[in-house]
Amino acid sequence: MTKKALITGLTGQDGSYLAELLLAKGYQVFGLVRRSSTSNLERVSHLFNQIQIVSGDLLDQTSLMDVVSETQPDEIYNLASQSYVPLSWTQPALTAEYTALGVSRLLESIRRCKPDAKFYQASSSEVFGQPDESPQTERTAFRPRNPYGVAKAYAHWMTINYRQQYKLYACCGITYTHESARRGAEFVFRKITQAAAKIKLGLANEIKLGNLDARRDWCYAKDAVYAMWMMLQQEQPDDYIIASGETHSVRELVECAFNSVGLDWQNYVSVDPAFYRPDEPVQLVGCIDKIKTNLSWKPQYSFKELVELMVDYDLKQLSENK
């Protein structure tokens, strides 16, 4: 029989790639979208004749129960949240409602309406905040340092509690920063690749950035969603770190992006303290030994390949729109 999957956060970067992956594997895919949503559906517009959009809201318990009851999914992937860290400082309560309490509502809907469904919760490296060890493992203590990280920590532990208390098949994937051409330009990786392409095409002449020495563990979003799917194909539920296992500085990212278009980045980049984050995480890098051993998963794209892939995409897109 055809498997059915429900994806929250369908219109985001991860949701769109996950929908493509599941469709390629023969799934019937449902995407949860808020009733009054003004979200840009561009990322999934090419899939409209293959997926079914269902109406629901993580703030509304009844709507979630209705969706789970009506679709009866075999797998549920919760990718929806308010995920922009700076915004979580200006809207902490809203971030908590969607990113934390929304998960409680969804878990309760599963418990009541489809307790045999397999559930994936998108956790985040932000739960570690300022960790006491590096690299981090699945056993590293949570020390979130921003409202988004706090909300994700709540959602993570609530997922584990429902697994233990109600025997649900519920997993948490602690994803580190993952990028793609579908990433919003407000995120630094895409901001840089897009700027390199714009400057190369004469559409801009500079880019302002924050701390060039900040380091991140970056991987490709397509690699990340494949790990999410693999986690729900196992006999027993478990939690895994999804990362590249290595860090690169913003400076390395800038240099790589500008090198790929034949430009010297130092001629175009300036540092603006306004772009520094309030609490810069200290050496967030994931240990991927567990997921490599248990699931035979590892990133398929290197850092350099990811940067070049995104710059090439931005060059093509901007050239077509000139």
Side-chain angles (χ1 to χ4, degrees), residues 23-126:
L23 287 169
K25 292 185 176 296
Y27 282 67
Q28 182 180 4
V29 177
F30 299 90
L32 184 76
V33 175
R34 295 196 307 275
R35 293 188 185 96
S36 59
S37 176
T38 56
S39 297
N40 189 343
L41 300 176
E42 180 182 353
R43 293 188 183 97
V44 292
S45 59
H46 62 297
L47 302 176
F48 278 168
N49 63 340
Q50 302 176 67
I51 59 179
Q52 297 183 50
I53 302 296
V54 291
S55 179
D57 196 319
L58 290 178
L59 301 186
D60 180 6
Q61 179 78 65
T62 301
S63 73
L64 295 177
M65 291 178 65
D66 288 345
V67 166
V68 174
S69 293
E70 291 167 9
T71 60
Q72 289 290 294
D74 300 291
E75 298 172 6
I76 299 173
Y77 297 84
N78 182 41
L79 309 182
S81 71
Q82 189 303 99
S83 59
Y84 188 46
V85 171
L87 184 61
S88 76
W89 284 108
T90 58
Q91 297 186 15
L94 182 66
T95 299
E97 282 288 350
Y98 276 108
T99 308
L101 296 180
V103 178
S104 287
R105 298 184 187 104
L106 187 52
L107 284 164
E108 187 62 13
S109 299
I110 295 169
R111 183 183 76 84
R112 295 186 186 188
C113 306
K114 190 67 167 66
D116 62 338
K118 293 184 175 182
F119 176 68
Y120 173 86
Q121 166 58 20
S123 194
S124 166
S125 60
E126 291 290 340

Side-chain angles (χ1 to χ4, degrees), residues 86 89 191 208-214 216 251 270-280:
W89 284 108
K191 177 180 178 180
K208 293 182 178 180
L209 297 169
N211 183 8
L212 297 181
D213 295 320
R216 296 285 184 277
R251 192 185 309 274
S270 61
V271 174
D272 185 343
F275 291 107
Y276 276 65
R277 284 170 59 159
D279 272 306
E280 199 68 54

